[in-house]
Amino acid sequence: MSDSRFTIRARAVLATAVGCLAAASCGTAASQPAPAAPPAASAPIPASSSATGVSAPEPTVVTPTAGPSTTVSPTPTGPPAFSAKVSRVPRERLEHSWRPGCPVPVSDLRLITMTYWGFDDKPHTGELVVNKSATDDIVAVFRRLYDWRWPIYKMRLVDAYKADDYASIDADNTSAFNCRPAEGSSSWSRHAYGLAVDINPRENPYIYANGTGSHENARKFFKRPVRAPGVINPGDRVVKAFQQRGWEWGGYWSGIKDYQHFSKGGN
């Protein structure tokens, strides 16, 4: 009986010891510690590292070298190109300058609307009425004047002055067709055919044989040569431009001088 009790107690102690040893070496799911967190990422090594004692290379900075600028400066806008439009003339545009009995019908006249360079050093648009046979000549010459920036004071139809030649000249107006007789004559002027043009009549006045003129505002331009804007002098490029198209200049007349006047096929 005593042997049996001893045996049972010994077995219980042994089982307990074995269980404790197993728990100590393996543990249980509930008692195991949580896994450690992964180490944090290392911070960047500064330029001078005390861990290695070796200085890290400085970052490379690229500085642009001096050289030609690639910036394009804005180009100032130039003046508009010369333009000219030739069209038929409505009868109402010639209310004062044409009348029955004129040497040309309205159907033989043409209106030229074109650009010209002004005394204010700016482009303007003006109008001339000429014979349809003269349009090419007039456009070609005035294109050259515009390209040279040779100034014209004003360019309106003489009808703006009720076809009064004196008033148009006094206003320094460049004009062409006007159904009127020649100065001091009963014959038709070349203007009556649309085959003459007067340019800057103040700067280029009509001078009588005695050296006087009828427009006081043009007195300082009576003699030639004169160096001033819009003035036409003997042999200058304006005269030559018209001569190349077969037009005559009134500044070459003997006695009377008509410095403003260019005509084709007669005086």
Side-chain angles (χ1 to χ4, degrees):
M1 181 67 176
S2 59
D3 291 339
S4 300
R5 289 180 179 176
F6 176 80
T7 301
I8 293 170
R9 187 176 295 172
R11 288 178 180 175
V13 172
L14 180 61
T16 302
V18 171
C20 290
L21 289 173
S25 61
C26 300
T28 62
S31 62
Q32 284 192 6
S42 300
I45 299 176
S48 178
S49 174
S50 59
T52 61
V54 179
S55 297
E58 293 289 342
T60 303
V61 179
V62 179
T63 303
T65 57
S69 173
T70 57
T71 303
V72 179
S73 298
T75 302
T77 303
F82 175 83
S83 65
K85 178 184 177 183
V86 178
S87 58
R88 291 183 175 273
V89 191
R91 172 66 181 87
E92 58 269 20
R93 296 296 310 276
L94 307 177
E95 179 183 2
H96 304 286
S97 61
W98 188 92
R99 61 186 181 277
C102 288
V104 293
V106 173
S107 60
D108 283 352
L109 299 173
R110 294 292 183 270
L111 173 67
I112 303 177
T113 304
M114 60 184 167
T115 47
Y116 68 91
W117 201 256
F119 272 63
D120 58 358
D121 201 32
K122 296 179 181 179
H124 299 270
T125 300
E127 295 180 317
L128 288 179
V129 170
V130 301
N131 194 293
K132 63 181 181 181
S133 66
T135 56
D136 288 348
D137 292 341
I138 292 297
V139 169
V141 171
F142 278 81
R143 180 189 299 275
R144 297 183 71 179
L145 299 185
Y146 183 83
D147 290 344
W148 295 332
R149 298 192 180 186
W150 193 86
I152 293 172
Y153 185 76
K154 186 185 299 183
M155 188 189 296
R156 303 180 65 186
L157 303 190
V158 73
D159 289 80
Y161 306 92
K162 297 183 177 181
D164 184 334
D165 188 55
Y166 188 97
S168 179
I169 290 174
D170 218 39
D172 205 7
N173 181 52
T174 294
S175 65
F177 172 76
N178 192 5
C179 187
R180 63 175 179 81
E183 181 74 19
S185 172
S186 59
S187 300
W188 289 117
S189 164
R190 297 306 287 172
H191 288 280
Y193 295 89
L195 294 172
V197 59
D198 291 339
I199 301 177
N200 292 345
R202 175 176 176 265
E203 288 76 19
N204 304 292
Y206 182 97
I207 304 300
Y208 300 117
N210 64 4
T212 64
S214 57
H215 294 267
E216 287 300 316
N217 65 355
R219 179 174 293 279
K220 67 178 181 179
F221 301 107
F222 281 3
K223 294 182 179 181
R224 287 295 186 271
V226 176
R227 302 300 173 189
V231 169
I232 303 168
N233 288 298
D236 71 10
R237 58 185 177 176
V238 179
V239 174
K240 291 178 180 177
F242 274 99
Q243 286 179 329
Q244 290 169 1
R245 308 293 301 195
W247 289 59
E248 300 176 6
W249 182 45
Y252 286 148
W253 295 350
S254 59
I256 291 173
K257 303 292 184 184
D258 198 355
Y259 295 122
Q260 66 199 260
H261 182 89
F262 291 94
S263 59
K264 190 169 187 178
N267 295 336

